[in-house]
Amino acid sequence: MQLFQIFIRFVNHWKSFTFRVPVIYISCNLLISISVAGTTNGLHDMTSKLPSANYISELPMRNAFAIYDGKEAAPIYIYSDDYPGVNRAATDLQSDISRVTGAKPELIKDPQGRTPLAIIIGTLGKGGIVDDCVKSGKLEVADIYGKSEAYVIQVVQNPTPGVRSALMIAGSDKRGTIYGIYDVSQQIGVSPWNWWANVPIQHRKALYVKPGRYVGKQPAVRYRGIFLNDEAPSLANWVAKNYGDFNHKFYEHIFELLLRLKANFLWPAMWGHAFNEDDPLNPKEADEWGIVMGTSHVEPMMRADVEWSRLGFTPEQWNYDKHPDELRKYWADGIDRVHSYEKIVTIGMRGKVDTPMSESANIGLLERIVADERQMLAKHLEKNAAEIPQAWCLYKEVQEYYEKGMRVPDDVTLLWSDDNFGNLRRVPTVEEQDRTGGAGVYYHVDYVGGPRSYKWVNTVPIAKMWEQLNLAMEHKADRIWVLNVGGFRQKEMAMDFFLHMARSPQDFSADNLQEYAKKWAAQQVGSQHAEEIADILSKYTKYNGRRKPELLSQNVFSLTDYREAEQINSDWQAVASKAEKLYDKVPENQREAFYQLVLYPTKASAIVNEVYYKANLNRLYAKQGRATANDLAADVRRLFKEDVDMTDTYHHKLAGGKWDHMMDQLHFGYTSWNDPAANLMPEVIELKLSQAGEMGVAVQGMEATWPGSALEAKLPTLDVHGLKRAFIEIFNKGRDPYAYSVQADQPWILIDNLKGNISRERRLWISIDWPKVTGLASGHIVISDPAGVRVTVKVTASSLQLPAVAKGFIESGGCVSMEAVHFSKSIAARTAKWRMVPDLGRNVGGMTVFPVTAATNLKGGPDLEYQMFLQDGGAAKVTTYVSPTLNVVPGRGLRYGISFDNQPMQVVDILKGDNQQ
């Protein structure tokens, strides 16, 4: 026997791993991440909390401003000289106050008279009372002046003759004022998701703004938005039914949501749709509302992909080498069409239908294309190209061009992408961080393509998103963040979190992600059950992160090894049951929101997992001849029908059918990246059963059954320090029930049911009377039926006594298993240390090194130390299972060092220089 200590030291930042050795099994989830809080002694402080400034009260107080005093609502002042988008947002505030209180405030443009109270809205430099109060010193704006998209909300006494008290909403620019307006809306109880998820508005008897000054700071990421991609079938079918096409009537709802979430950027739907062409009001309204438009990574120069074919060109003509004149005119027309609108121009060129432009990286051609595009931009927009916001999206093979030496002018934003599955491929190097155009992130919570698509419900936990986006932020990829949200629905919390973090990353730390989930749940479904809802939201996304629904098959999780499939299914059933029970508890007016945001994605995901689990079990049981194989086949059909019924409820019973088609996305039967033709139920097997009952026996951990197998029937070793019980299943191969009896030849073998009748099957739990066992002992269990059939199962029990020095994890069954968070000691380095990220990974959480920008090496740590006690010494083989990650910093490698006790450190390069998927 020997006590071991394992030391783990990281040479560079890396991800989660699991050790496997002949007598050791260490499961570790070690994930590198970064903090965005302030630093102390070179280390980031990870104890920040979400800001909780709530400036609305239903109770009056000294110097508070009455938006609504229980009788009437204060009027809203706006000005003709302000931006149209500001005044339009003011009408939303008017409506929101009315919906919360029942009293509609008067909206007064260019007020001549005076009212005792007023909500005064204005953008700095646009005149009116706001600018007057700035000049007189009554409104302090020093911390927002000259900033982008910042605002101040302040109660001001006697701001102007005739007005006794005012709530002033002042923005540093157009969007700053709009965000300030929507901040008030959100504070009085109107969720940004009110329209999109039927989030109810609770009536409030009065609304007072507490005295003080409330500042919305300049967002950390300049351009923050979403990409409506892979929009068919769900969103496209829903839009076709309700709007006919992706026109301005539809996009108004998208624009409003983005602004309520304090976002500013949009890549529009592009599967057969053309934002600027389908409805000329689309770009005009986007600009007026305050949305910066772009086109996707595959659509240069503000032209939609589909427009090329609409003009009669073929995919073969999408070739700059052969058809430069046609493409130049095509792109010039696209720029002219949006000449005066706010935009970020995608430059470069990819092949049609989101494919590579050529089989090899033709850097010279692409550099010529970019140069010509910039000349066109300068000519048609009549300004220096360096003054025009541009992005080059380094997606898939385009990153290869960059890595092989292609460069674009410094003023162009390098938009780095993840690997389509939420793992960043690259972040800016120290040298690249000095580029004037900066860098950004194109991130996915939806993807269509190889090796497998995923489009249905959210599968990216916020812990994973935070860890990766924090990595980007710490490496100054902060110019553009765009999130591929696919067909839009079922990505609500992911979208909300992404945009909140883009705006204010300092609000988040590894320790408060669950607090964010709780606050988000309270905003959408009420505070009474917010903690339970947050737990459900975190669990269903974490479980989907283990294996996305579209990536499931009948053989993903093992039916025999460590009861893996059974445990996965048990996790899903527990969280789905919790969601179902909570649905009955939430108030009636909150159930539509709860169904959409919580119950549907949780229960439907659980159903998909259970369908595959039981279909796999059906195949095993059919092979074993169990009568219950037929019951499982029936269960699979029932569950498949239940999925159909849940979709029907979503489409036809929620909000009077408002969301018909929104869950059209297929989620069963994927075998490649492409959608199956329909939701396909996994195949199941029906057995033709004999009438007479017939005994069969199975044991935990084995596929074989008895009588009939030549293998010895034996249970896994039961261990006082590890596995303490195991099961035997007695099953029927026919229809008629039969009796059974069980006997053990050792008094220390405990059986929970010694006799009975078997109609279908019964699981018998075997445990040990440990005081009666010394060292390693074995015995047998005999199962028999009235026909004289006997099956003998071997039982081995280990009750080895440990010396006093035994500490930490104890070997059992030839292995040691532990989570990364279960270390015995964490040793910080001077500039880096380990921290836990709850819920990151498959189970409890992950251990991460902060900050990721700190240099780490073999001599300096930081280290994690794990203690374990093994039955034998000698050589140990360690296999590491690494959480998905890529080498985001070129040339650095992803390496860790490991040693047992004081032996020399062995260094492992996880990716061996490979930075691909």
Side-chain angles (χ1 to χ4, degrees):
M1 300 181 184
Q2 187 171 353
L3 177 67
F4 279 86
Q5 288 182 313
I6 292 184
F7 299 88
I8 302 166
R9 177 174 295 167
F10 287 88
V11 185
N12 294 111
H13 304 124
W14 69 298
K15 293 288 179 185
S16 97
F17 66 85
T18 302
F19 298 116
R20 183 184 292 268
V21 300
V23 290
I24 305 176
Y25 184 79
I26 308 173
S27 176
C28 299
N29 214 9
L30 302 166
L31 296 139
I32 295 306
S33 190
I34 44 181
S35 163
V36 294
T39 60
T40 303
N41 297 327
L43 300 177
H44 285 273
D45 178 9
M46 295 303 299
T47 59
S48 65
K49 294 185 177 180
L50 286 172
S52 57
N54 186 341
Y55 51 78
I56 297 294
S57 171
E58 289 188 71
L59 301 175
M61 60 186 69
R62 180 182 175 85
N63 293 327
F65 177 83
I67 293 177
Y68 173 68
D69 62 4
K71 297 179 182 178
E72 60 181 347
I76 301 171
Y77 288 6
I78 60 175
Y79 292 88
S80 299
D81 289 341
D82 215 324
Y83 296 97
V86 169
N87 290 337
R88 192 216 56 77
T91 66
D92 282 347
L93 178 61
Q94 178 190 37
S95 174
D96 291 345
I97 293 170
S98 176
R99 292 189 293 166
V100 171
T101 67
K104 186 174 183 178
E106 184 180 4
L107 190 68
I108 303 173
K109 182 176 285 189
D110 301 323
Q112 299 299 316
R114 294 290 184 263
T115 58
L117 301 175
I119 300 171
I120 302 174
I121 296 172
T123 306
L124 298 184
K126 287 294 183 178
I129 298 174
V130 166
D131 282 349
D132 291 342
C133 286
V134 171
K135 292 175 183 176
S136 66
K138 294 181 179 179
L139 181 63
E140 182 184 343
V141 297
D143 49 356
I144 70 166
Y145 186 80
K147 304 293 185 181
S148 296
E149 302 178 347
Y151 59 88
V152 60
I153 297 168
Q154 183 176 337
V155 178
V156 176
Q157 307 301 328
N158 303 308
T160 191
V163 178
R164 184 180 72 253
S165 180
L167 175 65
M168 307 202 77
I169 304 172
S172 62
D173 54 21
K174 173 173 65 177
R175 278 186 291 275
T177 311
I178 292 170
Y179 295 162
I181 291 169
Y182 284 131
D183 196 78
V184 174
S185 285
Q186 189 164 327
Q187 287 266 341
I188 67 175
V190 180
S191 165
W193 296 98
N194 164 252
W195 191 89
W196 277 106
N198 299 104
V199 175
I201 294 174
Q202 305 299 330
H203 176 78
R204 304 185 75 169
K205 61 184 180 181
L207 295 172
Y208 293 93
V209 179
K210 300 172 186 177
R213 184 172 179 274
Y214 308 94
V215 177
K217 296 181 180 180
Q218 175 174 292
V221 177
R222 185 176 301 180
Y223 300 105
R224 314 161 306 284
I226 63 172
F227 178 20
L228 297 179
N229 191 26
D230 314 327
E231 61 270 22
S234 297
L235 184 62
N237 291 347
W238 179 81
V239 168
K241 177 180 178 179
N242 292 280
Y243 301 98
D245 200 355
F246 283 76
N247 55 36
H248 72 283
K249 292 295 184 183
F250 160 73
Y251 275 112
E252 284 175 355
H253 295 295
I254 297 292
F255 298 158
E256 182 182 333
L257 175 69
L258 290 174
L259 294 171
R260 285 183 182 269
L261 293 173
K262 300 183 177 70
N264 61 7
F265 185 53
L266 177 65
W267 281 355
M270 53 84 70
W271 275 22
H273 305 106
F275 181 81
N276 297 313
E277 183 176 270
D278 290 343
D279 184 350
L281 289 178
N282 281 345
K284 180 178 184 297
E285 287 210 358
D287 192 68
E288 287 183 356
W289 282 59
I291 300 298
V292 182
M293 293 303 303
T295 47
S296 74
H297 59 286
V298 74
E299 301 173 304
M301 301 293 280
M302 303 304 293
R303 297 300 302 245
D305 189 70
V306 72
E307 292 183 73
W308 184 250
S309 59
R310 286 182 182 180
L311 291 171
F313 294 110
T314 66
E316 291 72 27
Q317 290 175 290
W318 184 261
N319 185 317
Y320 200 77
D321 226 8
K322 297 179 180 179
H323 301 277
D325 293 338
E326 293 90 335
L327 279 161
R328 278 196 290 265
K329 182 179 186 309
Y330 175 74
W331 287 336
D333 289 345
I335 294 299
D336 287 341
R337 186 172 54 188
V338 294
H339 181 278
S340 59
Y341 300 146
E342 204 173 359
K343 56 193 166 291
I344 300 176
V345 181
T346 297
I347 63 170
M349 187 176 183
R350 291 190 75 215
K352 296 303 291 180
V353 199
D354 202 7
T355 59
M357 185 172 64
S358 59
E359 291 184 5
S360 60
N362 192 338
I363 292 174
L365 175 60
L366 193 53
E367 287 179 334
R368 178 158 59 92
I369 290 170
V370 170
D372 290 352
E373 287 171 339
R374 285 171 60 84
Q375 285 183 358
M376 278 185 276
L377 289 173
K379 176 181 177 181
H380 289 264
L381 296 181
E382 303 171 293
K383 59 175 66 174
N384 190 309
E387 300 173 7
I388 302 166
Q390 299 155 66
W392 185 34
C393 188
L394 302 168
Y395 181 67
K396 287 192 174 181
E397 84 289 341
V398 181
Q399 182 174 325
E400 179 189 351
Y401 300 166
Y402 187 88
E403 305 294 4
K404 289 184 176 180
M406 178 178 169
R407 293 294 181 266
V408 293
D410 265 17
D411 59 89
V412 176
T413 301
L414 298 180
L415 192 59
W416 300 102
S417 176
D418 67 351
D419 63 352
N420 302 306
F421 289 84
N423 307 293
L424 296 181
R425 297 178 70 197
R426 181 79 140 70
V427 294
T429 63
V430 173
E431 294 75 22
E432 290 163 348
Q433 291 172 19
D434 291 332
R435 298 178 72 261
T436 57
V441 173
Y442 171 37
Y443 200 79
H444 291 73
V445 290
D446 166 282
Y447 172 62
V448 170
R452 192 70 67 84
S453 306
Y454 62 98
K455 299 171 59 179
W456 180 39
V457 295
N458 188 26
T459 61
V460 182
I462 61 173
K464 170 73 172 180
M465 191 180 292
W466 174 81
E467 184 259 336
Q468 288 290 292
L469 295 177
N470 234 353
L471 183 66
M473 181 59 67
E474 197 73 2
H475 286 85
K476 302 191 185 327
D478 57 6
R479 185 62 55 88
I480 303 170
W481 281 15
V482 59
L483 181 69
N484 188 327
V485 299
F488 189 72
R489 292 307 307 272
Q490 292 308 315
K491 312 298 191 302
E492 292 88 352
M493 189 169 82
M495 194 187 317
D496 198 298
F497 179 82
F498 179 91
L499 295 174
H500 187 152
M501 188 169 175
R503 183 176 74 253
S504 188
Q506 69 274 9
D507 289 352
F508 299 100
S509 74
D511 300 324
N512 70 4
L513 298 177
Q514 193 65 11
E515 182 186 348
Y516 164 81
K518 181 179 176 180
K519 288 190 174 186
W520 193 82
Q523 183 185 68
Q524 317 317 324
V525 196
S527 58
Q528 184 178 0
H529 302 288
E531 190 165 344
E532 295 169 273
I533 293 169
D535 181 64
I536 292 169
L537 292 170
S538 296
K539 279 189 167 64
Y540 105 75
T541 50
K542 178 166 72 174
Y543 296 166
N544 271 337
R546 291 170 172 172
R547 189 79 173 193
K548 299 177 188 296
E550 294 90 340
L551 276 65
L552 287 170
S553 68
Q554 290 173 259
N555 300 308
V556 169
F557 301 116
S558 175
L559 294 172
T560 54
D561 294 347
Y562 302 99
R563 300 171 59 200
E564 181 189 35
E566 183 180 338
Q567 185 57 54
I568 294 289
N569 185 62
S570 177
D571 288 345
W572 273 114
Q573 297 313 304
V575 71
S577 175
K578 184 174 182 178
E580 286 185 287
K581 291 176 181 176
L582 202 54
Y583 177 77
D584 295 328
K585 294 180 182 179
V586 299
E588 185 72 33
N589 72 333
Q590 294 174 348
R591 289 182 182 174
E592 285 187 343
F594 186 90
Y595 190 92
Q596 295 172 66
L597 300 174
V598 185
L599 182 58
Y600 177 83
T602 303
K603 185 178 178 182
S605 296
I607 287 172
V608 172
N609 276 267
E610 189 176 8
V611 163
Y612 282 106
Y613 166 62
K614 289 191 168 178
N616 198 17
L617 205 57
N618 162 264
R619 295 173 64 186
L620 174 61
Y621 282 12
K623 181 180 177 182
Q624 296 173 338
R626 299 197 197 198
T628 45
N630 293 352
D631 300 335
L632 287 165
D635 280 350
V636 170
R637 295 189 184 96
R638 174 185 56 79
L639 289 163
F640 194 76
K641 173 65 165 53
E642 193 172 353
D643 174 80
V644 173
D645 292 342
M646 287 201 73
T647 302
D648 181 72
T649 295
Y650 201 112
H651 286 169
H652 303 122
K653 296 177 183 178
L654 284 177
K658 178 179 178 180
W659 304 117
D660 189 18
H661 292 298
M662 269 297 194
M663 291 298 111
D664 281 352
Q665 178 57 48
L666 303 174
H667 43 277
F668 281 105
Y670 278 76
T671 57
S672 69
W673 70 269
N674 207 3
D675 285 359
N679 276 328
L680 302 175
M681 190 188 84
E683 290 185 4
V684 293
I685 300 172
E686 290 270 9
L687 297 178
K688 291 183 178 181
L689 303 175
S690 61
Q691 188 63 39
E694 181 183 351
M695 186 178 78
V697 174
V699 300
Q700 180 177 330
M702 300 183 74
E703 286 193 11
T705 61
W706 296 264
S709 174
L711 297 173
E712 180 185 23
K714 58 181 179 180
L715 288 171
T717 298
L718 301 180
D719 193 327
V720 70
H721 304 296
L723 183 66
K724 292 183 174 59
R725 68 173 190 163
F727 64 80
I728 295 171
E729 289 178 330
I730 307 174
F731 58 86
N732 198 343
K733 295 184 177 183
R735 298 180 186 276
D736 294 340
Y738 64 86
Y740 77 92
S741 62
V742 182
Q743 281 188 318
D745 65 1
Q746 298 295 331
W748 47 264
I749 299 176
L750 305 178
I751 306 167
D752 71 343
N753 205 313
L754 292 174
K755 62 181 179 178
N757 293 312
I758 300 298
S759 175
R760 280 304 203 222
E761 65 183 23
R762 178 169 295 175
R763 178 174 285 186
L764 307 182
W765 284 102
I766 313 303
S767 56
I768 304 299
D769 189 351
W770 292 110
K772 296 180 179 179
V773 176
T774 301
L776 191 65
S778 64
H780 296 86
I781 293 172
V782 178
I783 304 107
S784 57
D785 70 2
V789 177
R790 293 164 59 88
V791 173
T792 301
V793 180
K794 184 177 181 180
V795 180
T796 303
S798 174
S799 183
L800 294 174
Q801 299 302 305
L802 301 178
V805 296
K807 295 180 181 179
F809 289 83
I810 310 300
E811 176 195 342
S812 174
C815 66
V816 170
S817 178
M818 57 190 176
E819 298 277 348
V821 301
H822 297 152
F823 54 88
S824 57
K825 189 176 182 181
S826 177
I827 305 168
R830 185 178 62 83
T831 59
K833 63 180 178 180
W834 288 98
R835 292 300 301 259
M836 177 184 176
V837 182
D839 259 351
L840 187 58
R842 294 184 175 186
N843 298 309
V844 181
M847 293 300 298
T848 70
V849 170
F850 291 86
V852 291
T853 52
T856 54
N857 55 65
L858 281 175
K859 295 182 179 180
D863 300 335
L864 284 176
E865 191 174 295
Y866 297 84
Q867 285 189 325
M868 63 186 67
F869 188 84
L870 307 179
Q871 310 298 342
D872 300 292
K877 179 182 178 182
V878 180
T879 302
T880 62
Y881 295 88
V882 185
S883 175
T885 191
L886 297 169
N887 186 14
V888 296
V889 177
R892 186 185 64 179
L894 292 172
R895 296 173 290 163
Y896 66 91
I898 180 171
S899 73
F900 284 75
D901 289 345
N902 295 314
Q903 296 175 7
M905 186 79 69
Q906 297 185 48
V907 177
V908 179
D909 190 335
I910 295 170
L911 294 180
K912 296 182 180 179
D914 182 12
N915 193 33
Q916 303 307 309
Q917 294 186 38

